[in-house]
Short mmCIF file of all heavy atoms in Angstrom, two decimals:
data_model
loop_
_atom_site.label_atom_id
_atom_site.label_comp_id
_atom_site.label_asym_id
_atom_site.label_seq_id
_atom_site.Cartn_x
_atom_site.Cartn_y
_atom_site.Cartn_z
N SER A 139 -7.86 24.96 -48.48
CA SER A 139 -9.15 24.38 -48.84
C SER A 139 -9.66 24.88 -50.18
O SER A 139 -10.45 24.22 -50.86
CB SER A 139 -10.18 24.69 -47.77
OG SER A 139 -10.47 26.09 -47.73
N PHE A 140 -9.19 26.07 -50.59
CA PHE A 140 -9.61 26.64 -51.87
C PHE A 140 -8.60 26.33 -53.00
O PHE A 140 -8.99 26.06 -54.14
CB PHE A 140 -9.78 28.15 -51.76
CG PHE A 140 -10.95 28.59 -50.96
CD1 PHE A 140 -10.77 29.29 -49.77
CD2 PHE A 140 -12.23 28.25 -51.34
CE1 PHE A 140 -11.85 29.69 -49.01
CE2 PHE A 140 -13.33 28.65 -50.59
CZ PHE A 140 -13.13 29.36 -49.42
N MET A 141 -7.32 26.40 -52.69
CA MET A 141 -6.30 26.36 -53.75
C MET A 141 -5.33 25.19 -53.59
O MET A 141 -4.42 25.06 -54.41
CB MET A 141 -5.52 27.69 -53.79
CG MET A 141 -6.38 28.91 -54.03
SD MET A 141 -5.40 30.41 -54.08
CE MET A 141 -6.71 31.62 -54.22
N GLY A 142 -5.47 24.39 -52.55
CA GLY A 142 -4.56 23.27 -52.34
C GLY A 142 -3.45 23.59 -51.37
O GLY A 142 -3.03 24.76 -51.24
N MET A 143 -2.97 22.55 -50.73
CA MET A 143 -1.92 22.74 -49.72
C MET A 143 -0.60 23.24 -50.32
O MET A 143 0.11 24.00 -49.71
CB MET A 143 -1.70 21.42 -48.97
CG MET A 143 -0.71 21.51 -47.82
SD MET A 143 -1.22 22.69 -46.53
CE MET A 143 -2.61 21.81 -45.79
N LYS A 144 -0.30 22.82 -51.54
CA LYS A 144 0.96 23.21 -52.18
C LYS A 144 1.03 24.73 -52.32
O LYS A 144 2.04 25.35 -51.98
CB LYS A 144 1.07 22.54 -53.54
CG LYS A 144 2.34 22.92 -54.29
CD LYS A 144 2.38 22.23 -55.65
CE LYS A 144 3.60 22.66 -56.45
NZ LYS A 144 3.64 21.99 -57.80
N ILE A 145 -0.01 25.33 -52.83
CA ILE A 145 -0.03 26.78 -53.04
C ILE A 145 -0.06 27.47 -51.69
O ILE A 145 0.63 28.49 -51.49
CB ILE A 145 -1.24 27.18 -53.87
CG1 ILE A 145 -1.13 26.60 -55.27
CG2 ILE A 145 -1.38 28.72 -53.95
CD1 ILE A 145 -2.34 26.84 -56.16
N SER A 146 -0.85 26.99 -50.75
CA SER A 146 -0.94 27.62 -49.44
C SER A 146 0.39 27.65 -48.69
O SER A 146 0.81 28.67 -48.23
CB SER A 146 -2.00 26.85 -48.58
OG SER A 146 -2.13 27.45 -47.33
N VAL A 147 1.07 26.48 -48.67
CA VAL A 147 2.37 26.42 -47.99
C VAL A 147 3.38 27.28 -48.71
O VAL A 147 4.21 27.97 -48.09
CB VAL A 147 2.86 24.96 -47.90
CG1 VAL A 147 4.28 24.89 -47.39
CG2 VAL A 147 1.92 24.14 -47.02
N SER A 148 3.34 27.27 -50.05
CA SER A 148 4.28 28.09 -50.82
C SER A 148 4.10 29.57 -50.52
O SER A 148 5.07 30.32 -50.38
CB SER A 148 4.06 27.84 -52.31
OG SER A 148 4.33 26.48 -52.65
N TYR A 149 2.84 30.01 -50.39
CA TYR A 149 2.57 31.39 -50.06
C TYR A 149 3.16 31.77 -48.72
O TYR A 149 3.81 32.84 -48.58
CB TYR A 149 1.05 31.63 -50.05
CG TYR A 149 0.64 33.01 -49.63
CD1 TYR A 149 0.63 34.04 -50.58
CD2 TYR A 149 0.27 33.31 -48.33
CE1 TYR A 149 0.24 35.33 -50.19
CE2 TYR A 149 -0.10 34.58 -47.93
CZ TYR A 149 -0.13 35.59 -48.88
OH TYR A 149 -0.49 36.84 -48.51
N ILE A 150 2.97 30.91 -47.71
CA ILE A 150 3.50 31.21 -46.37
C ILE A 150 5.01 31.25 -46.38
O ILE A 150 5.64 32.20 -45.84
CB ILE A 150 3.02 30.13 -45.36
CG1 ILE A 150 1.50 30.14 -45.26
CG2 ILE A 150 3.67 30.36 -44.00
CD1 ILE A 150 0.91 31.36 -44.65
N ILE A 151 5.68 30.25 -47.02
CA ILE A 151 7.14 30.18 -47.02
C ILE A 151 7.74 31.36 -47.74
O ILE A 151 8.68 31.99 -47.28
CB ILE A 151 7.59 28.84 -47.64
CG1 ILE A 151 7.18 27.67 -46.73
CG2 ILE A 151 9.10 28.84 -47.87
CD1 ILE A 151 7.50 26.31 -47.33
#
Side-chain angles (χ1 to χ4, degrees):
S139 68
F140 290 116
M141 301 181 186
M143 185 60 71
K144 179 181 177 181
I145 296 175
S146 180
V147 173
S148 298
Y149 176 83
I150 298 294
I151 293 175

